[in-house]
Amino acid sequence: MIDADWVIVTAPTDRGADVHGELARALGELAERHPGTVFRSAVLGGESDTVTEVLDEAAREGADSVVVLSGQTLADRKMDAWFRRVIGHWLRNRPAGSAPDIRIGGSLCQTTDYANLIERAAADGGAPGRDTTAPLATKAWDAVPGFARHVLVCRGPRCSARGGAETQSELSAELDARRLGDDDVLITLTGCLFPCSQAPVVAVYPDDVWYAGLTAARVADVVERHLVGGEPIREWFGDRSASR
């Protein structure tokens, strides 16, 4: 029996896929078995809903207890450390008395069920590999876009926990509003860019400009003054190493 109002299953990153879609069947089955519990997916970094965003939702919905599970089926101590730090960051930034009781579940790979899962998958026989799949290279990806600037938006765990998702969303909206596409400004979401302590971090090339603390509220000014007007906003630059 699950003794929690919400269960959040996380992945280290969405790797370009919709994690919620990938987990929808499993979470739907769990919701049928446990009608009193809400089951949601989240990512540490990437475009899908982040752990902190889903925790915000649980708090808004009045959840008293939340279990957060890492969806990884292979042990990764580095990811486990980020996982716990992101939750700790969220708890520290909640108003006193407003956070539900949060428990971190055990590893999925440290159970007998995981060995059984591997055994069943191997015994199933699988589907044959084929040489008729789509090729890795296609005509659509032959040429580099003709962009003037390349903007790297960090969606690593710390930036995602500190507003990177909102920064990314606002940047896309501002560029769309000005009808600026990949041949004007190319946006690339990245893993950890460093320096994490200056999150959310955004880098702009070829200008070699690194913005620190680029929250969603600052995005419109960066687009207007820098990406359109060509004048970087120096007061928002991140600290650089002395050796540069």
Side-chain angles (χ1 to χ4, degrees):
M1 186 67 182
I2 295 177
D3 183 22
D5 297 325
W6 280 52
V7 172
I8 301 172
V9 181
T10 75
T13 175
D14 61 16
R15 305 188 191 281
D18 177 4
V19 170
H20 184 70
E22 294 293 327
L23 289 173
R25 179 176 177 179
L27 297 187
E29 289 181 6
L30 287 168
E32 290 181 2
R33 297 179 200 172
H34 306 276
T37 301
V38 175
F39 292 86
R40 288 291 309 275
S41 59
V43 295
L44 280 176
E47 291 190 75
S48 297
D49 292 342
T50 63
V51 175
T52 50
E53 289 175 314
V54 179
L55 285 172
D56 282 340
E57 184 180 349
R60 286 194 303 269
E61 294 296 321
D64 291 322
S65 58
V66 177
V67 172
V68 188
L69 296 170
S70 172
Q72 296 181 125
T73 52
L74 292 176
D76 186 332
R77 292 183 180 179
K78 184 176 180 180
M79 283 296 106
D80 285 346
W82 272 116
F83 182 54
R84 295 172 186 276
R85 291 176 76 175
V86 165
I87 292 171
H89 167 81
W90 184 83
L91 287 169
R92 286 191 295 274
N93 285 274
R94 293 293 302 178
S98 68
D101 174 43
I102 297 180
R103 289 167 287 154
I104 298 173
S107 170
L108 298 181
C109 63
Q110 300 298 327
T111 69
T112 303
D113 288 341
Y114 185 47
N116 295 336
L117 182 66
I118 295 174
E119 185 177 51
R120 286 196 301 271
D124 179 71
R130 302 183 185 280
D131 61 5
T132 55
T133 59
L136 293 179
T138 66
K139 190 68 178 175
W141 304 108
D142 278 354
V144 177
F147 56 87
R149 289 186 173 86
H150 192 177
V151 179
L152 308 180
V153 181
C154 181
R155 288 304 310 271
R158 196 174 322 214
C159 280
S160 292
R162 296 178 64 184
E166 293 82 358
T167 295
Q168 171 202 337
S169 178
E170 188 66 19
L171 181 58
S172 296
E174 288 290 337
L175 294 175
D176 286 346
R178 291 168 171 78
R179 298 181 183 277
L180 297 175
D182 288 351
D183 285 329
D184 304 292
V185 178
L186 180 64
I187 304 297
T188 299
L189 307 185
T190 75
C192 183
L193 279 176
F194 300 104
C196 301
S197 296
Q198 300 186 44
V201 175
V202 172
V204 182
Y205 283 96
D207 303 348
D208 191 23
V209 167
W210 287 60
Y211 288 112
L214 189 63
T215 59
R218 292 180 168 181
V219 166
D221 285 339
V222 168
V223 172
E224 182 65 29
R225 292 166 59 183
H226 184 179
L227 301 183
V228 175
E231 295 293 332
I233 305 176
R234 301 190 65 84
E235 57 267 33
W236 294 343
F237 283 9
D239 292 335
R240 303 294 288 262
S241 63
S243 61
R244 180 177 180 272

